[in-house]
Amino acid sequence: MKIQKFLLVFLIILTTFQTKADEGMWIPMLLEKYNIADMQEKGFKLTAEDIYSVNQASMKDAVMIFGRGCTGELISNQGLLITNHHCGYGQIQAHSSVEHDYLTNGYWAMSKEQELACPGLNVTFLIRMEDVSTQVLNGVTSEMSEEERQKTIKKNSVEIAKTATAETHYEASIKPFYYGNEYYLFVYEVFNDVRYVGSPPSAIGKFGGDTDNWMWPRHTGDFSLFRIYANQDNQPAEYAADNVPYQPKKYFAIAMDGVKKDDFTMVFGYPYKTEEYLTSYAIQQKLEIDNPHRIKARQKKIDILTLAMNADAKVRIQYAAKHAGISNAWKKWIGESKGLTRMHAVEKKEVLEKRFQEWANSTPENKKKYGSLLPQLKTIYTKLTPYRLAYAYYYEAGVSLDIVSYAGYWEKLITEKKIDTNTVENLKKATTGFYKNYNATTDKKLVTSLLQLYYDNVDANYQPTILLTIKNKYKGHVKAYTDQLYLKSKLVSEEKAMNLLNNFNGSTLKKLEKDPLYLLRQSIVALYDFKIKDSLLVLNNQIDLLQRTYMEGLLAMDKDKLFYPDANQTLRVAYGKVNGYEPIDGVSYKHYTTLEGIIEKDNPEIYDYDVPDQLKTLYNKKDYGQYAENGEVHVCFIASNHTTGGNSGSPVLNANGDLIGVNFDRCWEGTMSDIMYDKDQCRNIALDIRYALFIIDKFAGANHLIKEMSLVRKNPVEIKVE
Ligand code: ARG
Ligand code: GLU
């Protein structure tokens, strides 16, 4: 036993010092300085300037934030863009009804006139970035309180952003890097007229559904197409029928050769959040509190939704996006916890922390700055634990419940007691929108089950008062309470809510104050406001401050090591190579999948694996056109690029900077890479771009879209489709 433990520590020390091949999400502007030599050594044939440049068109001009959270990239000189099916999902759903079910059947605009406007959707391009640390930190001193510091930073940032965008239509944002040790300015251009061009049926675009989500081997055709429109001067504009397709500075050519094992690949996109520099205490908290409780709550939701969706086609459409969202994080957390445990993440951090402490104690100067950091962090995390638990339930079993968040729309009206037509009209809109995707029976089951979980798992001190009412008045019978809630509330049916809004007057307000749904929401919000919010804020601020100093210390301790900043939804480059992996002893995964695998999974009885007949026909006829490789259609591939949420839809590029795939997921065994990367287990999953083209051309007959693109083969001969 002792020897085993010794070996483990030894192994951990070894891996801590190893160079971490393929790990990292790098800053485009700094590639020249830090990465390009390594990238070229690994096979990349272009320059840093080809990726990011402010002087000439570069790859960054073809990459965008799609909507709020995804990435997309341009693939034609007419503003055509590709992203994931799951990124376009909300839009596809918004255009769908039981009669025109684009989720189920797919949609393809056969001409530009058929491209559908998407109000509310926009795409964002990076114009330039700049290190503004000095300007942002101007006037900040070490004697300042954290509050003063933040105030100064904010004031400086507003100024910098204003100057950066003066006399332009650009937008600017300034983001902290390395926990606020550095700051960067980002200047963006936003396009608001983005139209839905096409997407395959869910049986292709979401093939494997939530069953295969986060898993390899994968066969999902996870893509959708949109087009950016601009005004006559090629400038961003609000939607107008006579807007024209945007002519970009740069778009990606499409590589028709596919990928081989060990090929260089890079992913260029907007990773949302990673936490690579957390302490052992934080990871332990994740493993013991956040993940298990949130997993448990979501398991309940998923069980209820799955039953309801299988039983009713309308419910399936209504809850499709909600279900996908709930189950996505649920499954990731399960994988993450397993991965962190398998990697001995806590022990690895402890080894690092021990070394840090020794280093901190090694000189009086270090000691003053860094000596008490870790013990302080440890204490704060201990204090944080009950609040993290309370917050998990407040969120998962409280505010995030559909009707509870809907009740939030009414809050302003009820608390401010001001009835103006604007508020009422907005509420009508919100009500129609909300009830479009609502099923009363399902909702009631969800609320009952989640409130029960809340009741059973959280200390009474951190429960909303309504649970106390349930205990006293309803003798702990949650169902008895929800029966009353759904019977009596005027807000839990569209008809009743609309009725209220159509005949609104002073006495309606009085009644609403006592509406059971409103009271439920109030009790949940009050719990957060009075018992959770302030403590969380104070403790999190303390952690931020200490993490900033810890980060500074880490950078100082390992001066020769190249650190990459955590993802923060700014443009990053990850690079690695195409490669399979060994998830468990005795199993070895190949780096790609093919149409054969789709046919193998085919099962009309199972919703997630019901292969469309037309795809089977193409398969039987081997009607693959130019999209096959040695007689097979490749569907997905994996590589060692370090990616995370937000990288969905990101271009996966080859050594020539041509598009080989569209990133859409990670392998389950590697989902802990947001916290700790393992080069043997972490793989990003990409759709092979040739599969998307095959579907567009052969399945959908939308050959006009292929003609817009530039398809290239190795020596690069341009192929134009007639
Ligand atoms: N896991 C991927 C991501 O994190 C895909 C999610 C959408 N797909 C799904 N089956 N829910 O976004
Ligand atoms: N599917 C994820 C997204 O929407 C990407 C997968 C990941 O987290 O790596 O961004």
Side-chain angles (χ1 to χ4, degrees):
M1 193 64 209
K2 267 230 170 85
I3 289 187
Q4 271 178 11
K5 180 126 194 187
F6 169 79
L7 270 177
L8 178 65
V9 171
F10 180 71
L11 266 176
I12 287 168
I13 293 175
L14 254 184
T15 46
T16 320
F17 284 105
Q18 257 171 20
T19 49
K20 295 182 174 167
D22 308 331
E23 176 178 358
M25 301 177 179
W26 306 98
I27 302 179
M29 186 185 115
L30 301 178
L31 292 176
E32 180 65 41
K33 191 165 165 194
Y34 295 127
N35 312 97
I36 199 70
D38 184 43
M39 289 171 77
Q40 287 167 343
E41 193 184 314
K42 293 190 164 118
F44 188 52
K45 298 212 180 78
L46 305 179
T47 64
E49 190 79 359
D50 292 321
I51 300 175
Y52 174 89
S53 170
V54 282
N55 304 313
Q56 63 184 51
S58 59
M59 286 185 200
K60 76 139 173 53
D61 300 316
V63 180
M64 72 204 83
I65 303 178
F66 179 87
R68 273 173 307 156
C70 283
T71 304
E73 58 275 10
L74 288 160
I75 49 170
S76 93
N77 61 3
Q78 300 173 50
L80 185 67
L81 72 89
I82 190 165
T83 184
N84 291 145
H85 184 266
H86 79 261
C87 294
Y89 208 75
Q91 302 299 332
I92 304 170
Q93 186 189 29
H95 285 292
S96 293
S97 59
V98 173
E99 298 78 45
H100 296 281
D101 187 351
Y102 301 150
L103 283 178
T104 302
N105 305 315
Y107 177 78
W108 305 95
M110 286 303 169
S111 66
K112 299 222 169 62
E113 287 69 43
Q114 291 180 2
E115 297 178 355
L116 303 172
C118 299
L121 174 65
N122 57 32
V123 296
T124 304
F125 290 93
L126 177 66
I127 298 296
R128 66 183 182 90
M129 63 179 296
E130 189 183 330
D131 181 349
V132 289
S133 308
T134 320
Q135 296 95 301
V136 170
L137 295 172
N138 185 22
V140 169
T141 63
S142 48
E143 288 78 42
M144 269 183 171
S145 73
E146 193 56 19
E147 222 179 355
E148 285 171 320
R149 178 189 165 102
Q150 292 311 334
K151 235 165 115 188
T152 312
I153 287 175
K154 198 160 175 199
K155 193 171 131 267
N156 291 342
S157 301
V158 170
E159 272 311 306
I160 297 165
K162 216 164 98 193
T163 318
T165 53
E167 283 162 49
T168 68
H169 59 276
Y170 297 152
E171 296 177 6
S173 97
I174 287 156
K175 291 228 167 140
F177 282 63
Y178 302 106
Y179 288 93
N181 283 289
E182 291 177 17
Y183 285 85
Y184 283 81
L185 161 75
F186 297 85
V187 177
Y188 292 116
E189 182 172 42
V190 182
F191 286 82
N192 288 317
D193 186 354
V194 184
R195 302 185 196 172
Y196 171 40
V197 174
S199 63
S202 289
I204 290 174
K206 208 188 163 185
F207 183 75
D210 290 317
T211 317
D212 284 6
N213 191 22
W214 297 111
M215 311 273 265
W216 188 253
R218 188 67 157 276
H219 301 87
T220 313
D222 198 344
F223 77 97
S224 60
L225 300 171
F226 289 79
R227 191 187 304 280
I228 305 172
Y229 280 75
N231 66 16
Q232 308 295 327
D233 301 324
N234 204 32
Q235 299 285 317
E238 290 306 317
Y239 171 85
D242 61 351
N243 280 347
V244 293
Y246 169 59
Q247 291 174 14
K249 290 174 241 172
K250 158 93 192 165
Y251 65 93
F252 289 110
I254 288 165
M256 293 299 284
D257 300 298
V259 294
K260 291 187 312 300
K261 184 173 177 310
D262 292 330
D263 275 356
F264 173 91
T265 63
M266 72 176 248
V267 173
F268 200 16
Y270 282 88
Y272 194 73
K273 185 181 178 191
T274 59
E275 300 174 293
E276 309 288 344
Y277 307 102
L278 288 180
T279 54
S280 58
Y281 329 119
I283 297 180
Q284 196 149 7
Q285 188 160 82
K286 233 180 241 300
L287 285 172
E288 285 170 9
I289 307 289
D290 301 54
N291 283 6
H293 286 280
R294 284 177 168 240
I295 289 165
K296 189 157 64 177
R298 290 197 178 204
Q299 180 73 61
K300 291 243 179 262
K301 299 183 197 182
I302 291 165
D303 292 346
I304 293 167
L305 286 182
T306 307
L307 272 180
M309 288 166 76
N310 285 340
D312 184 333
K314 187 166 173 213
V315 176
R316 189 177 50 67
I317 296 180
Q318 287 178 317
Y319 283 81
K322 294 179 190 174
H323 180 276
I326 292 168
S327 80
N328 193 42
W330 161 81
K331 196 160 178 183
K332 188 200 138 180
W333 290 326
I334 297 174
E336 180 177 85
S337 285
K338 276 184 187 271
L340 289 172
T341 308
R342 191 187 55 235
M343 277 185 92
H344 304 286
V346 171
E347 291 87 340
K348 277 195 179 124
K349 291 287 186 185
E350 280 170 356
V351 171
L352 174 68
E353 283 153 17
K354 187 160 175 279
R355 188 160 70 84
F356 184 87
Q357 193 62 54
E358 280 162 14
W359 172 80
N361 292 346
S362 64
T363 71
E365 204 188 320
N366 279 356
K367 193 159 186 173
K368 191 159 158 250
K369 246 181 163 171
Y370 309 114
S372 66
L373 257 182
L374 289 169
Q376 281 185 61
L377 272 167
K378 186 172 182 179
T379 311
I380 297 172
Y381 274 102
T382 311
K383 285 193 197 150
L384 189 63
T385 300
Y387 296 104
R388 292 297 311 179
L389 183 76
Y391 183 81
Y393 282 90
Y394 154 76
Y395 184 80
E396 295 293 339
V399 273
S400 73
L401 297 175
D402 281 352
I403 45 162
V404 176
S405 78
Y406 167 68
Y409 290 117
W410 292 78
E411 220 154 41
K412 188 161 168 270
L413 186 78
I414 302 174
T415 47
E416 292 179 7
K417 300 197 172 37
K418 268 205 310 262
I419 316 167
D420 58 85
T421 42
N422 220 347
T423 317
V424 173
E425 282 315 305
N426 284 342
L427 263 175
K428 281 187 191 168
K429 262 192 225 140
T431 300
T432 317
F434 174 74
Y435 281 104
K436 184 170 180 240
N437 292 327
Y438 180 84
N439 173 274
T441 318
T442 309
D443 188 63
K444 190 174 165 194
K445 281 191 186 139
L446 282 171
V447 172
T448 310
S449 156
L450 270 294
L451 286 182
Q452 183 71 53
L453 196 73
Y454 209 148
Y455 186 81
D456 293 341
N457 282 274
V458 178
D459 188 277
N461 197 24
Y462 293 112
Q463 287 183 3
T465 49
I466 206 84
L467 293 181
L468 197 70
T469 312
I470 292 177
K471 183 171 176 211
N472 297 333
K473 191 166 155 200
Y474 296 92
K475 308 209 163 41
H477 287 123
V478 178
K479 172 87 172 25
Y481 160 75
T482 47
D483 281 345
Q484 287 300 307
L485 170 70
Y486 284 80
L487 193 68
K488 298 245 173 87
S489 170
K490 297 274 183 289
L491 303 179
V492 291
S493 97
E494 182 170 13
E495 208 189 329
K496 286 185 196 164
M498 277 303 191
N499 206 359
L500 271 186
L501 289 166
N502 286 329
N503 306 291
F504 213 86
N505 59 41
S507 80
T508 321
L509 266 184
K510 274 248 140 332
K511 273 190 232 145
L512 274 178
E513 275 175 25
K514 297 203 194 83
D515 188 275
L517 177 61
Y518 183 65
L519 294 179
L520 170 63
R521 180 175 168 94
Q522 286 306 95
S523 80
I524 291 168
V525 171
L527 169 86
Y528 178 71
D529 284 349
F530 298 116
K531 294 250 179 95
I532 304 178
K533 190 169 144 203
D534 291 346
S535 308
L536 261 191
L537 193 75
V538 169
L539 294 169
N540 281 331
N541 279 345
Q542 289 173 2
I543 290 176
D544 281 353
L545 188 157
L546 292 168
Q547 274 282 159
R548 184 169 74 232
T549 317
Y550 181 48
M551 189 76 232
E552 181 192 283
L554 288 173
L555 292 165
M557 176 172 81
D558 289 332
K559 276 203 195 63
D560 297 329
K561 187 178 153 183
L562 197 52
F563 285 85
Y564 59 96
D566 271 318
N568 55 0
Q569 214 196 11
T570 61
L571 188 58
R572 299 295 177 90
V573 169
Y575 59 95
K577 58 184 182 190
V578 174
N579 202 358
Y581 70 111
E582 294 177 7
I584 44 170
D585 184 39
V587 175
S588 170
Y589 282 147
K590 258 201 323 212
H591 64 276
Y592 69 95
T593 58
T594 68
L595 193 50
E596 301 291 328
I598 295 182
I599 302 301
E600 269 171 22
K601 282 180 180 173
D602 179 35
N603 184 344
E605 305 290 306
I606 301 175
Y607 179 75
D608 286 343
Y609 295 128
D610 189 2
V611 180
D613 287 340
Q614 201 197 335
L615 189 57
K616 286 191 247 186
T617 309
L618 288 168
Y619 169 80
N620 289 331
K621 289 206 265 179
K622 301 283 173 277
D623 184 4
Y624 301 154
Q626 58 176 329
Y627 308 107
E629 181 177 332
N630 300 326
E632 280 187 322
V633 174
H634 288 220
V635 176
C636 296
F637 66 88
I638 49 176
S640 60
N641 302 294
H642 190 180
T643 55
T644 184
N647 270 126
S648 271
S650 299
V652 185
L653 304 158
N654 66 12
N656 299 314
D658 296 330
L659 193 67
I660 46 179
V662 181
N663 189 71
F664 71 94
D665 213 356
R666 266 175 294 165
C667 295
W668 202 54
E669 295 79 5
T671 42
M672 68 293 176
S673 66
D674 293 348
I675 294 159
M676 199 176 269
Y677 183 91
D678 176 354
K679 69 177 174 41
D680 295 328
Q681 298 288 325
C682 291
R683 297 291 178 267
N684 67 309
I685 307 181
L687 165 73
D688 190 308
I689 193 67
R690 296 167 302 169
Y691 183 59
L693 299 197
F694 164 71
I695 294 296
I696 295 170
D697 185 352
K698 292 289 175 177
F699 182 86
N703 185 263
H704 61 288
L705 296 171
I706 308 279
K707 283 188 192 162
E708 270 186 52
M709 309 172 193
S710 302
L711 315 186
V712 294
R713 290 200 190 262
K714 200 160 282 129
N715 301 311
V717 197
E718 191 132 334
I719 302 166
K720 279 279 175 205
V721 182
E722 294 315 318

